Amino acid sequence: MSKKVAFYTLGCKLNFSETSTIGRNLVKDGFERVDFSERADMYVINTCSVTDNADKKFKTIVKQAQKGNPEAFIAAVGCYAQLKPEELAAVDGVDLVLGATEKFKIGDYINDLSKNDFGEVHSCEIADADFYVGSYAIGDRTRAFLKVQDGCDYKCTYCTIPLARGISRSDALANVLHNAAEIASQGIKEIVLTGVNIGDYGKGEFGNKKHEHTFLDLVKALDQVKGISRLRISSIEPNLLKNETIDFVANSKTFVPHFHIPLQSGSDALLKLMKRRYLTTLYTERIQRIKQAMPHCCIGVDVIVGFPGETEAHFLETYHFLNALDISYLHVFTYSERDNTEAATMDGVVPKNVRNKRSKMLRALSVKKRRAFYESQVGSELEVLFEGENRGGYIQGFTENYVKVKTPWNPSLVNTLHKVKLKEITADGLVAIEFLNSEVIL
């Protein structure tokens, strides 16, 4: 009988794409993949180091796995496993900890799945994480996350990702196109491009710093892949999002009008402390350029509150900057100290209760921004890709510009694209629609 393996993924879309690849490799090795809630012979937890909560959550997930099967072999992989391997190995029940380069070779380390007295650690010096492993995730039947780049050469003072994932390196263009075609062949309609710093695409494509292709080359080549209806760019640094890319997306048949652009602070003084590679003027220019080319474009923003040295005046500067910008929603991160980062030793520590208050204010601003963006789209005729879940008698989907819509449940709509008219915002904040193609009978 084949052994069963289950996965739990913490963190970003990139982690999900890598979990998928590790899962496919283990299935090739003879494992049967099951849901994490089921009894398995091995549980693999893909960890994240971005926020405090991810560290705390790890222990809870280990306990969950032990409930499923007290005798199961438990492996920890990913970013936190690279940064603090000994800490994870010390958690009761953990048998194996694999760092950045080892996680894709998990099959080589598991032997007969017998429990270890102590967690065994295989974690490289992060300088050795200089090779690239391509991956993609198919979370549901409608969209896939395609990894195109890994690692980062930036030295933002709050960030552990360069320590956890190593230098910036890219997948070969031919391999990205091969993976995209493989995804298309499975009937998936949308690909989301992921990476740590995807605008840096091309660097390290051949195991060195030589750039043969740029991010724009990647975008142009993917636009030609047959069988994919939508391509979406996930987070991209403002200084790496070039005008040529914006203009190409504006005229592309498959790239959708949706960008997610990290800001982190609306105060130039804090951007300098964070060692970001732009100031607010450049950020404003990018937003204006996008909106000129695509007035209906959805723009998401990452922002950090409570960074060391953030005074009330700095925070209000950020708040007013975001309030005035033509953006669609925010992802708000409450700053948390990370070991071995410059920011952790900085003066001007912001009390936790102040961080939380500022976070709440920006989350409220995000709700207001999303509402205003949805209102601006009511009356528009757009195309919706429907998802696969029955949510309280409704099916949901996203327009190309990331407006979330709903309509009464109809299983024949799953993973299909339909032209619709946006009618009105419903009580739960989603948008009701009217179908424009007469063949849809509800």
Side-chain angles (χ1 to χ4, degrees):
M1 245 174 66
S2 61
K3 299 273 190 191
K4 292 178 176 177
V5 61
F7 291 87
Y8 197 107
T9 306
L10 290 159
C12 61
K13 295 182 176 97
L14 184 55
N15 271 6
F16 279 92
S17 74
E18 292 181 342
T19 297
S20 259
T21 295
I22 295 166
R24 282 193 294 274
N25 291 343
L26 286 174
V27 167
K28 280 180 197 156
D29 290 346
F31 278 85
E32 180 193 340
R33 187 169 176 175
V34 297
D35 192 78
F36 200 82
S37 60
E38 294 178 45
R39 185 183 173 86
D41 301 288
M42 174 164 74
Y43 293 92
V44 180
I45 304 166
N46 194 351
T47 63
C48 166
S49 68
V50 173
T51 63
D52 256 355
N53 293 345
D55 313 351
K56 292 174 188 146
K57 203 162 180 201
F58 177 75
K59 287 178 181 164
T60 315
I61 297 156
V62 170
K63 285 202 178 88
Q64 244 173 284
Q66 288 173 312
K67 261 190 202 152
N69 178 4
E71 298 305 310
F73 187 89
I74 298 174
V77 302
C79 291
Y80 199 51
Q82 176 64 37
L83 290 174
K84 303 260 179 99
E86 308 298 340
E87 207 170 286
L88 292 192
V91 172
D92 186 43
V94 173
D95 299 292
L96 178 67
V97 179
L98 298 180
T101 60
E102 293 80 14
K103 61 189 170 192
F104 292 106
K105 300 178 284 194
I106 188 169
D108 300 346
Y109 293 103
I110 51 184
N111 304 323
D112 61 353
L113 294 188
S114 51
K115 297 285 288 173
N116 291 324
D117 294 336
F118 302 100
E120 194 182 302
V121 173
H122 296 276
S123 174
C124 66
E125 287 301 313
I126 198 59
D128 297 336
D130 57 359
F131 60 89
Y132 186 86
V133 178
S135 50
Y136 62 84
I138 298 168
D140 55 37
R141 285 189 297 151
T142 51
R143 78 171 56 78
F145 301 123
L146 173 59
K147 174 182 164 186
V148 298
Q149 183 275 343
D150 200 350
C152 189
D153 292 340
Y154 286 9
K155 299 287 184 281
C156 301
T157 54
Y158 52 82
C159 187
T160 55
I161 287 174
L163 302 172
R165 284 188 169 269
I167 58 170
S168 178
R169 55 212 188 272
S170 309
D171 202 353
L173 186 59
N175 197 46
V176 174
L177 296 175
H178 169 79
N179 284 344
E182 211 167 90
I183 291 166
S185 73
Q186 296 181 48
I188 285 160
K189 303 278 197 295
E190 181 178 310
I191 290 178
V192 183
L193 304 185
T194 70
V196 173
N197 188 354
I198 63 173
D200 207 26
Y201 177 82
K203 192 186 278 184
E205 195 183 345
F206 304 99
N208 52 31
K209 288 294 176 193
K210 194 174 75 173
H211 261 274
E212 179 140 326
H213 297 106
T214 62
F215 183 67
L216 181 60
D217 294 334
L218 172 74
V219 164
K220 285 180 170 173
L222 281 167
D223 201 45
Q224 301 300 312
V225 174
K226 299 274 184 289
I228 289 293
S229 305
R230 288 181 174 181
L231 285 153
R232 203 177 288 278
I233 296 167
S234 68
S235 191
I236 183 166
E237 294 285 307
N239 51 306
L240 295 174
L241 177 56
K242 304 296 184 210
N243 288 340
E244 295 82 1
T245 305
I246 294 168
D247 294 344
F248 184 81
V249 168
N251 294 299
S252 159
K253 289 187 296 294
T254 47
F255 275 90
V256 294
H258 176 203
F259 289 95
H260 194 94
I261 309 168
L263 169 68
Q264 311 309 16
S265 176
S267 158
D268 285 344
L270 284 184
L271 288 174
K272 287 173 186 170
L273 275 179
M274 291 174 168
K275 292 194 176 165
R276 301 293 286 157
R277 298 195 175 198
Y278 54 86
L279 295 173
T280 50
T281 46
L282 178 128
Y283 196 92
T284 305
E285 280 165 22
R286 286 292 175 275
I287 303 301
Q288 288 172 344
R289 177 75 184 221
I290 290 168
K291 283 295 188 173
Q292 275 164 5
M294 294 164 269
H296 65 309
C297 186
C298 179
I299 302 174
V301 180
D302 286 342
V303 61
I304 295 170
V305 294
F307 187 79
E310 183 185 68
T311 62
E312 191 68 14
H314 288 136
F315 171 70
L316 289 174
E317 207 179 335
T318 296
Y319 187 94
H320 295 312
F321 179 72
L322 288 165
N323 195 26
L325 269 186
D326 193 358
I327 56 167
S328 317
Y329 64 91
L330 306 172
H331 281 175
V332 183
F333 297 90
T334 306
Y335 172 75
S336 58
E337 286 76 3
R338 317 307 289 154
D339 291 346
N340 303 315
T341 60
E342 235 182 288
T345 60
M346 286 181 179
D347 296 332
V349 172
V350 178
K352 291 266 167 65
N353 63 326
V354 176
R355 295 183 209 184
N356 292 337
K357 183 185 131 216
R358 291 174 184 173
S359 174
K360 268 189 191 146
M361 281 178 71
L362 284 185
R363 287 174 207 275
L365 178 63
S366 180
V367 170
K368 185 182 121 182
K369 285 282 184 187
R370 194 186 294 270
R371 176 88 191 192
F373 176 63
Y374 279 15
E375 280 172 358
S376 75
Q377 297 305 299
V378 169
S380 304
E381 295 184 357
L382 296 163
E383 196 168 48
V384 172
L385 174 58
F386 287 99
E387 317 238 313
E389 235 178 296
N390 183 341
R391 294 174 183 268
Y394 286 89
I395 186 169
Q396 297 180 356
F398 284 97
T399 62
E400 58 267 50
N401 62 342
Y402 215 53
V403 173
K404 198 174 197 180
V405 308
K406 70 175 200 178
T407 197
W409 172 254
N410 176 351
S412 69
L413 291 174
V414 173
N415 196 30
T416 61
L417 286 150
H418 292 279
K419 285 292 274 192
V420 304
K421 185 173 187 176
L422 305 194
K423 295 290 284 175
E424 61 182 356
I425 301 175
T426 58
D428 55 4
L430 306 189
V431 180
I433 54 172
E434 175 190 317
F435 286 91
L436 296 175
N437 40 357
S438 55
E439 76 272 13
V440 179
I441 298 159
L442 294 172

